[in-house]
Amino acid sequence: MRLAFFGGIYNNYLALDFAIRDAKQRGVDAIYCLGDMGAFGPHPDRVFPLLHEHNVHCIQGNYDNSIGNELNDCQCGYTDPRDNYFAEISYAYTLQNTSPENRTFLKNLPTEIRFDFGEHRVLLCHGSPRRMNEFLWQSTCSTHFLETLADEHEADIILATHTGIKWHRKLSEGRHFVNVGVLGRPENDGTALVWYTLLEQASSADGPVLEFIPVEYDYRRLAAEMASENLPDEFIQTVHSGWWTTCLEVLPGKERAAGKF
Amino acid sequence: MTHAADTPGVSLHHLDQLWFQVAGTLCNLTCDHCFISCSPQNDSFGFLSLEQVRKRLQESVALGVKEYYFTGGEPFLNREMVEILEETLQYGPATVLTNGTVLKDEWLNRLRAAANASLFSLEFRVSVDGFSPETNDPIRGAGTFDRAMRGVVRLVDHGFLPIITAARTWADTEETAVVNQFVDTLKKAGYSRPRLKILPTLQLGAEENRTHGYREDERVTAEMLQDFDVDHLICSHSRIVTDRGVYVCPILIEADDARLGESLDDSLDDFKLAHGACFTCYQYGAICSNSSHQLTQPPERAS
Ligand code: SF4
Ligand code: SF4
Ligand SMILES: [Fe+2]
């Protein structure tokens, strides 16, 4: 049994297409998307046919909740005026370019998915099991905090996204917390790569095996399409360089220091 | 303390943030707006020892505390502060609120090494109140602007990205100009990617004399909480450890009814929002979290 997980597509249908094909080549049994289909990139409506065609199981992110319900903002909760300025540009663009049919699809997505994976109870959520838009960063979550999340939400493997940077923590009793990363935007590490996650039932007694898979999609084409859609240069820079230029204020010290800006 | 009949209570949803009043009410400065009137002489709360902190850190594991905050007074007046942070970083993320004026290279070298060795972030929040001595010093004391800026630069030199925290002592209409000047000043001082956080002032302690206290009608009522997300209130996800026991939140340690017990386990009960300061929390949300840490969404107002 082999499963693929990703989140944060942010309109990057090129990375989505690449990741789905890559996962299928690796013989996955099912593919899950943890939400935030829109934001940042070009042509929102190109994401949905891929999700449907490949039977990707989706849950709702804060962005999907906002677009689906036509709210005034993306509910990312930025507090910095510059971050908000850019968030508003991509939100207005995404809302305007998402068809009514796709908005309805987003509106009706479940906020979590649970299933059993061998002996393990799996819980998929967007931000955290307790709040759709909670940021769980590697450097701001104590291990005992994650243990109580697993206890309180009765899960052995919790998978989330929302922050934009992947990470994994092993917990007691063979449990795991995983941030599966995002397909939409590189993760502030100076490379153009984006990432998805594979989970596999191991033959040994070691429990499930987790692997982060790089996605080498055609980022130059994405950047060119963003330019022709008049999306901000700051976003296009990030696609090329891999360094975040916006949404920086939400980063904790460790993650911020690892980036360039 | 007696409560009006409709004073609502807030329950602790999960102990996300554990605070330590690690320097008590002792501070080398005597700021006009200090909401707990700290000073070199105010020892109504004393230092916490490493041993006292350790006990609560150990207790915090079973409660699933997410992150740890240190405040005072001035935390770095506590002789054990470096050891306390080194130990905390083995448990989880640590944030220390400092006025930046007493930091020493020797301490920062050790803390740099501890932060590098830890999975978790070590954050410094440095308080200043203006972008120049002219705006800052009348509030925080003569010479404090230059001293705090030297502290900021010292932190930056050690690879930290301090969050500069300013209480809003200017008119809302001046905000953009004030912030831009702030950023300029910091960049000129050598901090190339400054992080800023602006807090509302609280009408308590010395601040009560500077402007005014809370009016009788500035209180939280049950009706106000009806469509309000109480996650915005610190007391729904925090407690603070002092040398006199565990209190409900960092803002109210001078209120008698805010002391909940000796240990964390004793201090998990609901709390009645009977204080004027609760009204500010209600209006402005989780003012004591790092912007990067808070459960986000701007607070919803009743009106
Ligand atoms: S505001 Fe901070 S620096 Fe100023 S007196 Fe109070 S504790 Fe000290
Ligand atoms: S001052 Fe704020 S955090 Fe403290 S008890 Fe009142 S509402 Fe809660
Ligand atoms: Fe999200």
Side-chain angles (χ1 to χ4, degrees), chain A residues 73 75-80 130-131 133-146 148-149 152 162 169 248-261, chain B residues 13-14 16 60-68 91-93 112 115-123 159 161 193-196 229 231-232 291-298:
Chain A
D73 68 52
Q75 306 176 75
C76 292
Y78 299 130
T79 53
D80 179 66
R130 59 188 191 172
R131 195 172 180 120
N133 69 347
E134 182 175 10
F135 289 107
L136 297 183
W137 306 96
Q138 166 150 262
S139 87
T140 58
C141 292
S142 75
T143 303
H144 40 268
F145 166 70
L146 299 170
T148 54
L149 280 186
E152 286 165 13
H162 183 57
R169 186 93 42 90
L248 291 162
E249 291 306 313
V250 297
L251 284 168
K254 219 182 223 315
E255 284 82 355
R256 178 86 184 254
K260 186 173 174 191
F261 298 105
Chain B
H13 296 170
H14 185 267
D16 279 1
S60 79
V61 172
L63 294 167
V65 169
K66 183 169 180 261
E67 44 191 356
Y68 303 93
Y91 284 81
R112 181 71 264 163
N116 288 348
S118 173
L119 257 187
F120 308 111
S121 278
L122 170 58
E123 302 276 19
L161 298 172
R193 37 179 173 161
R195 300 160 85 200
L196 285 190
D229 184 349
D231 279 354
H232 296 302
S291 67
S292 46
H293 294 180
Q294 66 201 31
L295 297 172
T296 52
Q297 278 187 348

Side-chain angles (χ1 to χ4, degrees), chain B residues 27-31 33-35 38-39 72-74 99 127 140:
Chain B
C27 191
N28 58 319
L29 305 184
T30 332
C31 302
H33 61 50
C34 183
F35 67 82
C38 295
S39 74
E74 171 48 47
N99 61 36
S127 313
R140 302 186 74 83

Side-chain angles (χ1 to χ4, degrees), chain B residues 233-235 248-249 251-252 271 273 275 277-278 281:
Chain B
L233 303 176
I234 301 160
C235 49
V248 66
C249 74
I251 299 162
L252 289 181
F271 184 74
L273 306 186
H275 296 266
C278 302
C281 278

Side-chain angles (χ1 to χ4, degrees), chain B residues 88-264:
Chain B
T88 303
L89 284 169
Q90 296 176 24
Y91 284 81
T95 297
V96 49
L97 280 59
T98 171
N99 61 36
T101 61
V102 297
L103 300 171
K104 291 196 176 130
D105 285 335
E106 181 205 330
W107 301 342
L108 295 183
N109 285 333
R110 282 177 60 184
L111 290 174
R112 181 71 264 163
N116 288 348
S118 173
L119 257 187
F120 308 111
S121 278
L122 170 58
E123 302 276 19
F124 292 86
R125 282 170 46 173
V126 180
S127 313
V128 290
D129 280 301
F131 49 81
S132 64
E134 292 70 40
T135 47
N136 175 83
D137 292 5
I139 302 166
R140 302 186 74 83
T144 54
F145 180 77
D146 289 336
R147 288 169 64 197
M149 289 304 272
R150 281 199 295 274
V152 167
V153 170
R154 191 164 265 157
L155 285 163
V156 172
D157 287 346
H158 287 82
F160 293 107
L161 298 172
I163 298 168
I164 319 296
T165 308
R168 183 180 284 113
T169 47
W170 51 80
D172 285 353
T173 49
E174 293 170 42
E175 181 116 343
T176 313
V178 170
V179 167
N180 287 341
Q181 270 173 292
F182 232 155
V183 167
D184 265 8
T185 307
L186 290 163
K187 284 187 174 167
K188 282 198 191 103
Y191 189 7
S192 62
R193 37 179 173 161
R195 300 160 85 200
L196 285 190
K197 183 169 175 62
I198 297 163
L199 303 175
T201 52
L202 297 170
Q203 320 286 323
L204 279 182
E207 176 68 5
E208 212 159 341
N209 304 325
R210 201 181 71 87
T211 48
H212 60 85
Y214 287 99
R215 293 192 314 266
E216 277 295 301
D217 62 343
E218 289 180 319
R219 292 291 185 277
V220 178
T221 64
E223 194 193 341
M224 287 158 69
L225 285 191
Q226 239 150 46
D227 288 311
F228 180 81
D229 184 349
V230 292
D231 279 354
H232 296 302
L233 303 176
I234 301 160
C235 49
S236 76
H237 47 81
S238 309
R239 291 294 183 255
I240 183 161
V241 177
T242 76
D243 68 331
R244 285 161 43 185
V246 180
Y247 283 66
V248 66
C249 74
I251 299 162
L252 289 181
I253 57 169
E254 286 176 321
D256 292 337
D257 67 328
R259 184 185 185 280
L260 300 179
E262 187 56 39
S263 68
L264 295 179

Side-chain angles (χ1 to χ4, degrees), chain A residues 114-248:
Chain A
R114 288 174 183 268
F115 57 87
D116 287 338
F117 186 66
E119 308 270 273
H120 293 79
R121 298 162 302 172
V122 174
L123 168 57
L124 312 184
C125 55
H126 181 70
S128 82
R130 59 188 191 172
R131 195 172 180 120
M132 188 186 278
N133 69 347
E134 182 175 10
F135 289 107
L136 297 183
W137 306 96
Q138 166 150 262
S139 87
T140 58
C141 292
S142 75
T143 303
H144 40 268
F145 166 70
L146 299 170
E147 299 272 5
T148 54
L149 280 186
D151 291 342
E152 286 165 13
H153 297 271
E154 300 176 335
D156 303 311
I157 305 176
I158 299 175
L159 298 111
T161 176
H162 183 57
T163 62
I165 303 180
K166 65 179 182 329
W167 58 281
H168 168 217
R169 186 93 42 90
K170 283 192 172 143
L171 307 177
S172 63
E173 299 165 43
R175 300 185 300 181
H176 299 264
F177 179 88
V178 188
N179 187 317
V180 301
V182 297
L183 290 179
R185 176 170 81 150
E187 52 174 22
N188 201 23
D189 63 354
T191 79
L193 296 175
V194 296
W195 298 80
Y196 77 97
T197 299
L198 275 186
L199 186 69
E200 197 169 349
Q201 205 74 266
S203 40
S204 70
D206 292 347
V209 177
L210 191 100
E211 196 184 346
F212 292 122
I213 311 288
V215 176
E216 293 175 68
Y217 75 105
D218 188 352
Y219 68 88
R220 288 187 188 84
R221 179 171 160 199
L222 187 83
E225 293 185 11
M226 288 166 76
S228 58
E229 288 295 287
N230 290 317
L231 290 164
D233 283 343
E234 284 80 357
F235 293 178
I236 295 166
Q237 247 183 59
T238 299
V239 169
H240 279 287
S241 70
W243 300 118
W244 291 9
T245 55
T246 60
C247 315
L248 291 162

